[in-house]
Amino acid sequence: MSDAEKSRKITPAVPGLYKRAVVDALIKLDPRTLIHNPVMFTVEIGSAITTLLYFQALTGTGEAPAGFIGAISAWLWFTVLFANFAEALAEGRGKAQAESLRKMRQDTTAKRLRDRYRIIKGSEPQESDFEQVLSSVLHKSDLFYVKAGDIIPVDGEILEGIASVNESAITGESAPVIRESGGDRSAVTGGTVILSDWLIVRVSANPGEGFLDRMISLIEGAKRQKTPNEIALNILLLGLTAIFLVVAAALYAFSAYSVQSVGTGTTVTITVLVALFVCLAPTTIGGLLSAIGIAGMDRLIQRNVITTSGRAIEAAGDVDVLLLDKTGTITLGNRQAVEFIPVDGTTIEDLAGIAQLASLADETPEGRSIVVLAKEKYGLRGRTVGASGPEAGMQFIPFSSQTRMSGVDQGDLHIRKGAADALFKYIESSGNGVSDELRGAVDTISRAGGTPLVVAQNGKALGVIHLKDIVKGGIKERFVQLRKMGIKTIMITGDNRLTAATIAAEAGVDDFLAEATPESKLKLIREYQAGGRMVAMTGDGTNDAPALAQADVAVAMNTGTQPAREAANMIDLDSNPTKLIEIVEIGKQLLMTRGALTTFSIANDIAKYFAIIPVAFASTYPSLAALNILGLHNGILAAVIFNAVIIVALIPLALRGVNYRAMSAEEALRNNVLIYGVGGIIAPFIGIKIIDMLLIFLGV
């Protein structure tokens, strides 16, 4: 099972979680709480009415047998409780996660730098430069100092220093990460532990507003705001509820009038009308709607993504343009050697050997890949540089931005490798010419989107190393899936157009933006939004902040800068740019789940209408008994029980989400209608009949 598949599995609910959900479901019976769910609030009112009628029936003056009214009343209360239980269960997992985070949010000691302190590049603060305070007194813009072994007290931005930090408490990843000032990895989070060196950090949030605080409130769902789609659906459900309420009242009037006019039959009871109203109102989706939204946020949290609101998840489901950074997202992020091209009579074995020798001390990913390529393709074993042996006396020349080359010297042997133009000058300065064969090899690699490294020995060119930005395995298939979903993918890169076009074609993206700047990214997003498109983007740097703030779905890397994290509406704790694709899929799954269960609920109501109306009004209109095609004996009670039980049956689907696969909107709609629409019509007939038979068997 892949990591992605593991992350999709819902964490099994432990017995303690169920017990807590049951208690919370009872607490949510408070009308002041339940009124926020109008559909279930009306069911609670109906439950209260039938309860009063039950107590009246116990006195012998009831409208129907006390056993019948009591059973209806009990199952109406169960309907409300089951809906509350679904929401409480969805919230419960978040509360369990929040509890562990809350334990991390402890008041620790912090070394706050004194006002007189001035940062000196590379200078570590002394004991006289700071004062010991509690982390709770640190405010935005304060400076504090941490060293190896310290807990970082609050969120902040590194101003000076570089250190290894253990962020496992936040990300779940045990491997330490490097945080340093000045780059795109300058943000630190309160509650993490510094493992080496020291840092000077500027506080980025006031007490109670830190990253952990926001995570806790979002995970618990205490501040979860309903999204626009959810509000619209709530209005629709409220409208349907009002219609059925009017219908139920009108049916009572018609029933009373018919009995009085004809002089036969009995008026339908209030208990039956309440049961009819509850069965016809959209109680199924009304009871599960909130749980679906909370579960959507929970699925993101399981993938280590924190979102500022449910609105962002919904927007992810509607995204049709995806802006993806090339490096680290589409490609592996490190160029790798893929080919040795000898020139001017040099054998490929000699070129591979010299290139490997020049790269022995090169610890960059590119340098290591050269050593590996020479070993794997030409059987050249990596050598150990020491005081004895063939490599004795070697002096390695590191790469510098001035010379743009590196190499090794040993006596009269001088080997150099580096950028083509720098090596051309080096070769010419050595009194040798640059051959057309060498220039041709360099041009061929450049046109293919690669990076040529020229290798020379004693001023004479030996050949070229082809470095290539490797496209991630499987990424092309992901883009095909996104295309099926109607999503346009655009690669963002600082490379020139030629290199960008080559990598874009290999990766299978729909378009690319080359030589990207903050202004060009912002302009591109605005152009698509002006055309009515929903745009998603990922970023981590300060220069990404304007575009992130403009995008409809903006995912910032947790390792990124504070401006980027503040501009985004989602933060990926794993700092994995490809997570954006999963976020879009989760958003679409949320919308599909809500749509599927809404379709099922409305289809259920239609089926229940035809199943129970003949039974409910047979006492008033005896001729309706002919329409009781299911032969129901306890049709009203069976329908009420089914109406309650179906909510419980659908809770796992609401929490897990419908099975998701890439498809067009037309396919999704067709599947929705065929599976949940047709299934929603058939299920009540079968379910109500089975329950009715079971009631007869039990002697009810």
Side-chain angles (χ1 to χ4, degrees), residues 109-113 117 123-127 129-130 143-148 150-151 153 194 197-201:
T109 302
K111 302 181 181 76
R112 182 172 63 184
L113 293 168
Y117 181 77
S123 175
E124 184 176 1
Q126 302 302 308
E127 193 167 342
D129 295 325
F130 58 81
L143 302 183
F144 64 86
Y145 158 72
V146 284
K147 63 179 181 178
D150 289 347
I151 295 175
I194 182 168
D197 303 291
W198 56 272
L199 299 171
I200 295 175
V201 183

Side-chain angles (χ1 to χ4, degrees), residues 218 223-232 292-294 296-298 300 306-319 534-536 549-555 568-570 583-584 586-588 590-591 594:
L218 288 168
K223 296 183 180 179
R224 192 184 79 90
Q225 300 294 317
K226 284 185 169 63
T227 62
N229 284 351
E230 206 171 342
I231 292 171
I292 294 169
I294 295 170
M297 296 182 73
D298 186 63
L300 273 184
I306 299 298
T307 176
T308 58
S309 68
R311 183 190 296 263
I313 309 176
E314 273 193 1
D318 289 328
V319 158
M534 293 283 284
V535 181
Q550 182 66 36
D552 299 290
V553 177
V555 184
N569 51 25
M570 292 187 185
I583 290 170
V584 170
I586 290 171
K588 289 193 174 295
L590 171 66
L591 295 181
R594 186 182 296 155

